[in-house]
Amino acid sequence: MNQLGLPISLNSSMLLENFVANEELLRLINQLFLNQKSSELYIYGASGSGKTHVLQGAVLKSLADDKNALYIDCSDSLPEHLVEFIDQISLISFDNVHLIAKENEEIFFDLFNQARQSEVNILVSGDSLPVELRVMKDIKTRLSLTAVFKLEELNDELTVMVIDSQMIERNLKIDSKVYKYLFKNVSRDLKLLLSTLNDLDKASLQSKKPISIPFVREFLNLNNQ
């Protein structure tokens, strides 16, 4: 599997199989791998709603099927050279288009159009509807013509399901009371929770102590919580 030389590492736990939000969107993305005709999807939602998960999951599935695929974070500089071999790609994911720098907007627009003309499946994510993005008008117009899906913020139950699925892949079992403690004292944002749990996992291995509420309290210096 490769991303055609891009220096971006994918999170192998972000699989479509453990994506729990918006079943209609998941069905449509899975359909991309069966259809002969390409599609363009725009996915938006708040931070932690699963946008990066689904975009990376689609790329990982493509790569697992031995098809070239790309994941690009628009908050980084965009690789102009991709235009040269865009026709070799089966699927491309543009994440965080709302964070794109002004100097990269023309590059994004060109990449998007070239991918569309080459019948590449395109996924784009942002934090709002295309028309509300603070980007050049041509990009908003182009993205408004895609199939648009909103990801709702995950409730506590779904958040636990996502976290549990990723922890199971690490052979790590954490009491649900720890999650509730983190919801109350840290955040309900999935991205921040997973980052915190990653740090807790490392600290747990080093100290050879289980991830319990007392351990979390001590590690995060939440002695009064």
Side-chain angles (χ1 to χ4, degrees):
M1 300 195 308
N2 73 86
Q3 271 224 91
L4 297 177
L6 285 188
I8 300 175
S9 58
L10 298 172
N11 185 338
S12 61
S13 64
M14 290 186 174
L15 302 173
L16 293 179
E17 289 81 359
N18 57 31
F19 179 69
V20 299
N22 199 314
E23 291 184 6
E24 182 185 357
L25 172 61
L26 187 59
R27 178 191 59 76
L28 186 56
I29 289 177
N30 279 315
Q31 194 66 32
L32 295 180
F33 300 97
L34 303 175
N35 291 343
Q36 296 297 318
K37 188 177 179 180
S38 61
S39 296
E40 299 128 35
L41 309 182
Y42 179 82
I43 302 160
Y44 74 102
S47 174
S49 57
K51 299 186 297 295
T52 296
H53 187 145
V54 72
L55 264 63
Q56 289 204 10
V59 170
L60 286 167
K61 180 170 175 57
S62 242
L63 294 173
D65 291 344
D66 292 324
K67 296 179 180 178
N68 284 326
L70 294 174
Y71 169 83
I72 295 174
D73 190 333
C74 291
S75 63
D76 299 326
S77 59
L78 300 187
E80 294 182 70
H81 67 279
L82 290 182
V83 173
E84 299 171 11
F85 50 84
I86 201 78
D87 58 345
Q88 301 174 34
I89 298 170
S90 172
L91 180 144
I92 186 166
S93 287
F94 293 102
D95 203 2
N96 299 314
V97 71
H98 59 287
L99 298 178
I100 193 168
K102 288 293 182 184
E103 60 268 22
N104 286 325
E105 290 184 359
E106 290 284 357
I107 301 172
F108 170 86
F109 188 64
D110 191 27
L111 281 172
F112 187 99
N113 285 332
Q114 292 291 336
R116 188 169 179 268
Q117 290 173 18
S118 298
E119 298 186 342
V120 177
N121 284 312
I122 306 171
L123 303 183
V124 184
S125 84
D127 66 348
S128 64
L129 284 166
V131 70
E132 297 171 354
L133 292 170
R134 295 182 178 180
V135 296
M136 58 186 272
K137 183 179 178 180
D138 286 344
I139 292 178
K140 293 195 284 188
T141 300
R142 179 64 70 199
L143 293 178
S144 294
L145 297 175
T146 66
V148 177
F149 287 87
K150 181 179 181 181
L151 291 181
E152 301 293 346
E153 291 188 54
L154 299 177
N155 59 30
D156 288 356
E157 182 181 356
L158 288 176
T159 301
V160 169
M161 285 177 61
V162 174
I163 296 173
D164 256 343
S165 69
Q166 297 202 22
M167 294 304 107
I168 287 171
E169 290 184 9
R170 301 187 191 182
N171 294 316
L172 186 63
K173 181 62 180 176
I174 299 177
D175 192 302
S176 60
K177 292 179 181 177
V178 173
Y179 297 145
K180 292 177 182 178
Y181 182 81
L182 290 171
F183 291 162
K184 180 180 178 182
N185 296 289
V186 179
S187 175
R188 281 180 162 78
D189 184 287
L190 181 58
K191 188 181 298 184
L192 180 57
L193 284 169
L194 289 172
S195 176
T196 301
L197 284 163
N198 186 54
D199 292 339
L200 286 167
D201 185 24
K202 292 176 182 176
S204 173
L205 290 172
Q206 290 175 353
S207 64
K208 297 182 180 179
K209 295 180 180 179
I211 300 177
S212 60
I213 290 179
F215 180 82
V216 173
R217 185 184 296 123
E218 180 182 359
F219 179 77
L220 297 177
N221 195 25
L222 297 172
N223 295 323
N224 296 321
Q225 304 297 324

